[in-house]
Amino acid sequence: MRVTKTLLASGVVAGPLYVLVSLTEALTRDGFDLVRHQWSLLSNGDLGWIHVTNLVVTGLMTIAFAVGLRRALRPGRGGTWAPRLVGVYGASLVGAGVFRADPALGFPPGTPEGVARVSWHGILHFVSGGIGFLCLVAACFVVARWFAAEVRRGWVRFSQATGALFLAGFATVAAGGGSAWSNLAFTAAVVLAWSWVSALAAHLYRRAAHPAGN
């Protein structure tokens, strides 16, 4: 039980850590504009290692959470696929850190405006992110079914709404061509998705700590 709680705690911390570090970078890095630039661009420049580390660390923490999720949900509904999907999402964050996004839209300073030529690591960054995002969307709906079996309607609606809005945010930024509104919509969707991960991990942590009160 102690191991399960430790693994679930990783999920509680991963989201706030990623968002806090990313926002701190976004507000302090020269030339970065929260309205125009996606957080993945922070992997570039002299301080790019900070965001790379942020992605890798939070990815590993998410993988740890996926293991805890499997231990917490077994043998109930969702105990197989939800952990797998969350685990792939964690692995995709590690991949997104290893394969940096290409500089674009004038960031870092000195980069031409507009979208630059896409490199091989830029393509792999996008592929890693896309696979991970879709897996997290699917995990939201799998977990919603698990909560439906427990007749927890609030969690069902929260999970379904998170999956739908995160998918919409990803589709918006993929089709938005770097517009401000699509970038802001995607940023909001990322924060919502991490909030869901943290809330789910905290809920399961409390269940593990007080099994009699489930």
Side-chain angles (χ1 to χ4, degrees), residues 10-21 58 61-62 194-195 197-198:
S10 296
V12 176
V13 176
L17 175 65
Y18 178 79
V19 172
L20 178 61
V21 173
T58 52
M61 294 175 72
T62 303
W194 275 121
S195 299
V197 170
S198 292

Side-chain angles (χ1 to χ4, degrees), residues 59-87:
L60 293 175
M61 294 175 72
T62 303
I63 293 171
F65 168 56
V67 177
L69 187 63
R70 181 172 179 81
R71 294 167 69 102
L73 297 185
R74 292 177 65 184
R77 179 179 297 184
T80 299
W81 279 105
R84 290 177 180 176
L85 292 166
V86 172

Side-chain angles (χ1 to χ4, degrees), residues 35-38 105 172-173 175-186:
V35 175
R36 299 179 61 235
H37 297 141
Q38 296 177 28
L105 302 173
T172 296
V173 78
S179 64
W181 70 270
S182 63
N183 184 60
L184 289 173
F186 179 63

Side-chain angles (χ1 to χ4, degrees), residues 131-213:
I131 292 173
F133 293 155
L134 292 177
C135 283
L136 186 59
V137 168
C140 288
F141 289 103
V142 171
V143 170
R145 289 189 60 192
W146 182 75
F147 279 118
E150 293 199 339
V151 198
R152 293 180 181 266
R153 294 184 178 85
W155 271 104
V156 171
R157 289 191 292 269
F158 181 27
S159 300
Q160 290 175 337
T162 299
L165 291 173
F166 191 49
L167 178 61
F170 176 55
T172 296
V173 78
S179 64
W181 70 270
S182 63
N183 184 60
L184 289 173
F186 179 63
T187 300
V190 168
V191 173
L192 173 62
W194 275 121
S195 299
W196 177 79
V197 170
S198 292
L200 175 63
H203 173 74
L204 295 175
Y205 182 93
R206 288 191 295 269
R207 287 171 63 115
H210 307 286

Side-chain angles (χ1 to χ4, degrees), residues 86-114:
V86 172
V88 173
Y89 175 60
S92 79
L93 292 172
V94 176
V98 173
F99 305 112
R100 291 183 297 106
D102 291 307
L105 302 173
F107 186 84
T111 301
E113 290 292 334

